[in-house]
Amino acid sequence: MTKPSEPLRVLVIAQYYPPDMGGGATRAYNVVKGITLHGAQVVIVTAFSHYPHGNVPKEYRWKPLKIERYEGVKVIRTFILPLPSKGIVYRLILAICFAISSLFALPIVGKVDVIWAANPNIISFFPALIYGLIKRAPIALNVDDLWPEDMYSLNLLKPHSFLAKMAETMARIAYHKANIITPISPGYISIICGRYGVDSSKVKVVRGGVDVNKFTSYPTKKRGEKFIVLYSGAFSVAYDFEQVLKAAKLLENEDIEFILQGGGEVAPQLKSTVKRLKLKNVRIIDRILSRDEVVELLSEADILVLPLKDFGRPYLGISSKLYEYQAAGKPIICCANGQPAEYVKETESGVVVKPGDYEALAKAILYLKENPELRDELSRNGRKYVETSVSVERIGFMMVKIFQQLVSKRSMLQHEHNP
């Protein structure tokens, strides 16, 4: 058992970690930062930077692993194929590649008290299981997205197919074998416990969180500057950019600029739609920005939009973008139903419109543009909520408490077997 005077030694297994972008990398980064603030000693096993474009930096290519420090934390980066993260086949190849290469770090991770399998969903559990057996450490399984359920919604996988049955079997094994599960959304509990029969006592919701301090170094936008509606994030199939662009077409005479920043597989389609609609009020920044650059871009916007696609069912997850949008102190227009919509309503940080309804989106933009006092109120509400409820300090405290309980329980069981 770890003595109180000793730091909690946590091994994090995460295919996606900064400088990679995306929700998975952001979630892993925020938890690592949070638990280190509470005294944990962390080692991260992650892949060479590759998401979403597949461009592995030259200094890593074709090496088995490389040890470095990222913001003071030991990071062991392991081999990954230089493939873009698009389509089910490439995604699976990358995930399996990392599941294997992550084991290269086994001899050099040192002593471990607890393992957090951060990402990719489900698959990260299996290398974590091997680490757990060898290091005699309990495993906490993170759930950013529901796999394979979300793949069904994105049409990446057909329900009841052979691959779907295999994926559900893997999910069932991971959920039942993990010592504890830390999903980012309360909406996931119904699937994890209902569909897979997991005891609800081992499911502990810890929201995505945000480093609020990163969003205080840029000044608030001055009145009178151009009115900007911004989306910042991945250009992926989960988002309905058609809704945003059609709304932009309706508002092309309203002195409003739409900025879409990101990178990903639907970027060519996005540019094609802008050209087809002959949009002059839309600017696409088709490149991945650093976290500091993203923060600066968010500070320049008047409204931040989250345009999730309508898949015919309520969303059970919550995008980490919402926390960053709130931390930036800007009003949100959430084009979604389910958990994201409920979250925005509960925190009173934005306006919710039906996904796919571009006319409603255009009206919401105009309404907020014409009501600056409301924008300020929504902005304050969002910022206040993340400061008090989902800061990295807060989620770090929750995670450390969960990990310490796991370590104590493991120690008690070992003592019972070896009195």
Side-chain angles (χ1 to χ4, degrees), residues 48 56-65 79-82 97:
F48 296 153
V56 176
K58 289 182 180 180
E59 63 265 31
Y60 301 114
R61 289 179 191 170
W62 306 111
K63 293 181 180 179
L65 59 81
F79 175 80
I80 197 76
L81 290 166
C97 178

Side-chain angles (χ1 to χ4, degrees), residues 31-272:
V31 168
V32 167
K33 183 156 188 175
I35 63 176
T36 54
L37 287 172
H38 290 281
Q41 181 179 300
V42 182
V43 174
I44 303 159
V45 176
T46 185
F48 296 153
S49 179
H50 66 290
Y51 180 85
H53 39 64
N55 298 324
V56 176
K58 289 182 180 180
E59 63 265 31
Y60 301 114
R61 289 179 191 170
W62 306 111
K63 293 181 180 179
L65 59 81
K66 187 174 181 180
I67 305 171
E68 57 191 35
R69 298 196 77 82
Y70 188 89
E71 296 189 0
V73 178
K74 183 178 179 180
V75 178
I76 305 171
R77 298 191 184 273
T78 65
F79 175 80
I80 197 76
L81 290 166
L83 298 174
S85 297
K86 63 178 183 179
I88 184 64
V89 175
Y90 277 13
R91 284 183 170 90
L92 279 176
I93 290 173
L94 289 168
I96 293 169
C97 178
F98 173 69
I100 295 170
S101 74
S102 63
L103 300 176
F104 297 170
L106 254 172
I108 54 176
V109 295
K111 293 183 179 180
V112 175
D113 295 316
V114 63
I115 299 164
W116 188 53
N119 64 69
N121 298 283
I122 304 304
I123 294 177
S124 63
F125 171 79
F126 294 94
L129 181 62
I130 296 173
Y131 274 96
L133 291 171
I134 293 174
K135 298 293 182 178
R136 298 178 179 238
I139 301 169
L141 174 63
N142 182 53
V143 183
D144 286 334
D145 303 295
L146 289 171
W147 284 15
E149 287 76 15
D150 281 357
M151 291 194 227
Y152 303 154
S153 297
L154 296 172
N155 294 318
L156 296 174
L157 194 62
K158 292 184 178 180
H160 312 300
S161 65
F162 175 72
L163 278 177
K165 290 178 181 178
M166 281 186 61
E168 290 187 14
T169 299
M170 290 176 65
R172 189 177 300 276
I173 293 170
Y175 290 147
H176 281 272
K177 292 293 184 182
N179 298 95
I180 208 157
I181 303 170
T182 59
I184 64 169
S185 169
Y188 291 166
I189 296 175
S190 61
I191 300 297
I192 295 171
C193 298
R195 177 174 296 179
Y196 293 98
V198 175
D199 186 341
S200 61
S201 66
K202 65 183 273 186
V203 181
K204 308 291 184 182
V205 175
V206 181
R207 293 190 184 272
V210 63
D211 186 356
V212 295
N213 293 325
K214 283 188 175 292
F215 293 83
T216 58
S217 58
Y218 295 96
T220 303
K221 182 176 175 177
K222 296 178 182 178
R223 296 273 187 238
E225 297 177 356
K226 196 171 186 66
F227 196 88
I228 294 174
V229 177
L230 170 69
Y231 166 85
S232 176
F235 291 158
S236 78
V237 293
Y239 297 100
D240 186 0
F241 297 109
E242 188 93 2
Q243 180 180 10
V244 178
L245 296 179
K246 285 184 176 179
K249 185 67 176 178
L250 292 178
L251 300 174
E252 58 186 349
N253 296 320
E254 295 291 340
D255 195 29
I256 298 173
E257 182 180 16
F258 289 76
I259 299 177
L260 306 178
Q261 176 274 317
E265 57 192 301
V266 303
Q269 177 185 338
L270 188 54
K271 293 176 182 177
S272 176

